[in-house]
Amino acid sequence: MEFHRILSAAFLFLLFLTCNGDSFSGNSNLFREYIGAESDSIKFSDVPINSGVEFHFILAFAIDYTDDNHPSPANGKFKAFWEINNLGPCQIGSLKDSNSNVKIAVSLGGDSVGKGKAFFAPKKAFFAPKSKTTWVQNAVSSLTDIINRYDIDGIDIDYEHFRSSPEMFAECIGQLVTILKQSGTISFASIAPYEEINSYYLALWRKYGHVIDYVNFQFYAYDKLSVSGFISKFKEQASNYGGSQLLASFQSGGHGGLRPYDGFFEACNKLKDEGKLGGIFVWSADESKNKGFKYEKKAQALLAA
């Protein structure tokens, strides 16, 4: 009888944590890096890959815009806007053949679009569906073609500008991910929110969190953080996205958040000691190339240890 009371108490405690959004998915050796948005010369082979981690390259970006001189929303008809010359099907095939721990994702949306390159464009990339039904139909069709052509394993959602309600965003993206998973087209999905746009992603998470595998929260979008400040923000977002596999993050060439030379790895080690580090992601390989990828090496070593 005493044993059953202990089990019941343990179950109620776990239920309390889950219902209050304070559960954590535990540590992971997942390392993810965005690539292809800011450089015409970046290659997969430039980036060091530690065999002791699960490594995801995230192609940035596929965008549902036209690719002419005056890009406009295309209602879910996605095109590849990343650097396809060096990050194409042949290169992906060779990469996977040489590295069994590597998977490929494609990120949807991003900040801007135009002239075939997301980084050089002055025009913001808006989530702007004409209707839920047509957007989802077009997105499923166009992304299935891209995913099959490039041998992509998963998708990442990184819309940052919106001409829709949070509810419309949640339904369109939630249905898209659900359909792509049910068809076996993708095996995982992630989201990439930050504080200012959290209302959209939390609407998605509340209804469709069960089909989202990773949360790439952009902690570098905060103003400069201390180690304690970073850990506090991490735990706040872990509560917002209760039960998620939440990744820590830094930006190679940025000054926001907690920079890798200001204590990022100290913060990650503390989170790892608490069993709360769901992985690390970096924006971006393009920016890290001229730094010799020293922080990517350090991050992967931390995760592999």
Side-chain angles (χ1 to χ4, degrees):
M1 182 65 72
E2 182 65 24
F3 176 70
H4 289 296
R5 281 199 295 268
I6 293 171
L7 283 180
S8 296
F11 173 77
L12 289 172
F13 178 69
L14 290 173
L15 182 63
F16 170 81
L17 287 179
T18 300
C19 291
N20 283 275
D22 292 326
S23 59
F24 297 93
S25 61
N27 291 331
S28 165
N29 70 340
L30 177 61
F31 180 82
R32 316 186 87 203
E33 182 141 37
Y34 290 84
I35 188 170
E38 301 177 320
S39 169
D40 291 325
S41 61
I42 189 70
K43 299 176 182 178
F44 294 122
S45 57
D46 293 330
V47 185
I49 298 172
N50 186 320
S51 62
V53 303
E54 180 181 357
F55 195 113
H56 291 183
F57 278 111
I58 306 177
L59 302 169
F61 294 94
I63 313 174
D64 56 330
Y65 265 63
T66 60
D67 57 359
D68 52 31
N69 291 329
H70 301 284
S72 59
N75 195 38
K77 296 179 181 178
F78 284 86
K79 296 179 180 293
F81 280 83
W82 68 87
E83 172 45 54
I84 59 173
N85 292 322
N86 294 323
L87 308 173
C90 291
Q91 292 87 351
I92 289 173
S94 177
L95 171 71
K96 287 186 172 184
D97 287 344
S98 303
N99 300 274
S100 61
N101 61 321
V102 170
K103 294 181 180 178
I104 302 292
V106 60
S107 189
L108 311 185
D111 176 64
S112 54
V113 63
K115 298 181 181 178
K117 290 297 297 177
F119 177 68
F120 296 108
K123 190 166 188 176
K124 299 299 184 184
F126 283 88
F127 179 76
K130 291 182 179 179
S131 78
K132 178 180 67 178
T133 301
T134 58
W135 190 93
V136 172
Q137 289 175 343
N138 289 338
V140 169
S141 177
S142 59
L143 285 172
T144 298
D145 288 344
I146 291 172
I147 289 165
N148 289 338
R149 179 182 178 190
Y150 289 89
D151 192 17
I152 289 168
D153 303 289
I155 63 172
D156 175 65
I157 311 302
D158 188 22
Y159 278 101
E160 301 183 4
H161 309 285
F162 303 90
R163 288 177 179 154
S164 79
S165 66
E167 293 72 25
M168 174 68 88
F169 176 71
E171 282 302 318
C172 287
I173 298 300
Q175 290 186 27
L176 170 65
V177 174
T178 299
I179 292 169
L180 292 178
K181 278 196 163 185
Q182 288 178 345
S183 67
T185 305
I186 60 172
S187 58
F188 61 83
S190 59
I191 56 176
Y194 56 91
E195 186 67 46
E196 287 76 10
I197 56 174
N198 239 356
S199 61
Y200 286 86
Y201 286 88
L202 288 172
L204 171 62
W205 180 259
R206 282 191 291 268
K207 188 165 184 180
Y208 289 99
H210 60 285
V211 296
I212 297 167
D213 301 279
Y214 316 115
V215 178
N216 283 9
F217 197 87
Q218 299 182 47
F219 291 102
Y220 45 81
Y222 287 112
D223 291 335
K224 186 176 179 181
L225 295 171
S226 63
V227 170
S228 61
F230 182 91
I231 291 173
S232 176
K233 293 295 186 185
F234 187 96
K235 292 182 177 180
E236 176 185 344
Q237 298 308 328
S239 178
N240 286 337
Y241 295 93
S244 67
Q245 183 168 336
L246 178 66
L247 282 75
S249 61
F250 66 85
Q251 181 178 1
S252 307
H255 300 288
L258 181 58
R259 295 172 292 187
Y261 48 85
D262 279 341
F264 175 81
F265 297 107
E266 178 186 347
C268 285
N269 274 314
K270 289 184 177 181
L271 290 169
K272 188 176 181 181
D273 288 344
E274 295 180 25
K276 298 172 182 176
L277 183 62
I280 295 172
F281 83 87
V282 180
W283 178 275
S284 64
D286 309 49
E287 295 180 359
S288 293
K289 185 176 180 179
N290 64 1
K291 299 178 176 63
F293 298 98
K294 60 181 178 180
Y295 297 123
E296 279 82 353
K297 295 174 185 175
K298 189 170 183 178
Q300 291 178 72
L302 184 155
L303 293 170

